[in-house]
Amino acid sequence: MGLKETKPKSPLNKSFGYAFSGIIQAIKSERNMKIHVVTALIVICFGFYFSLSGIEWLFILLAISGTITLEMVNSSIERAIDLATDQIHPLAKEAKDFAAGAVLIYAIFSVIIGIIIFLPKIVA
Ligand SMILES: Nc1ncnc2c1ncn2[C@@H]1O[C@H](COP(=O)(O)OP(=O)(O)OP(=O)(O)O)[C@@H](O)[C@H]1O
């Protein structure tokens, strides 16, 4: 019998606790997470300064939450691969590079959203 069958399910409050500690641990241990969180706080301050509309906030919050979420998934994929093998393997490389590519695509999309929303307000 594997760990999955023997381990009882965690109560909901404990699961939330694990999730929150995962977020804190990711911010503490990942340089990119720190960059994303600081950038997000700066963008949110700009958002209040420029009194963004509801739709504009929606896009900004989607960009921020999507980037941070993908960065966490990328970091967990990196850890899972490092745990699975310490060998150099083309599949390990692809898995890590695909995950990093996913973050990059969303980050570029987020920068474009930021430019579309903030640039006209800054130049006005
Ligand atoms: N086991 C492996 N086999 C083959 N290539 C690997 C392996 N581990 C890492 N790589 C290559 O090295 C790159 C860097 O891997 P690493 O685990 O150091 O991530 P990183 O880019 O430093 O991540 P971060 O800076 O977010 O911690 C990967 O994107 C991949 O191309």
Side-chain angles (χ1 to χ4, degrees):
M1 215 192 271
L3 183 64
K4 232 180 163 182
E5 289 84 44
T6 53
K7 208 169 143 275
K9 255 201 161 329
S10 302
L12 201 59
N13 62 333
K14 271 199 162 179
S15 298
F16 274 113
Y18 297 141
F20 276 113
S21 77
I23 295 167
I24 302 296
Q25 183 55 30
I27 294 170
K28 278 185 182 164
S29 62
E30 289 291 318
R31 187 201 53 192
N32 287 352
M33 273 295 285
K34 290 191 184 87
I35 294 171
H36 292 316
V37 169
V38 170
T39 308
L41 291 175
I42 293 169
V43 170
I44 288 170
C45 290
F46 269 97
F48 282 115
Y49 180 78
F50 286 112
S51 303
L52 297 187
S53 69
I55 286 288
E56 287 169 334
W57 271 119
L58 203 61
F59 276 101
I60 290 295
L61 293 176
L62 271 175
I64 289 173
S65 59
T67 306
I68 291 176
T69 304
L70 272 178
E71 185 61 47
M72 290 188 68
V73 173
N74 176 40
S75 299
S76 55
I77 287 171
E78 277 176 11
R79 277 161 177 69
I81 290 164
D82 289 343
L83 183 66
T85 181
D86 55 4
Q87 309 287 309
I88 298 295
H89 194 286
L91 284 178
K93 179 175 170 47
E94 278 194 357
K96 284 190 176 189
D97 291 351
F98 288 0
V103 179
L104 183 63
I105 289 171
Y106 206 90
I108 291 170
F109 170 72
S110 299
V111 169
I112 293 170
I113 289 177
I115 291 171
I116 290 171
I117 290 177
F118 286 109
L119 194 64
K121 298 179 195 302
I122 291 169
V123 295

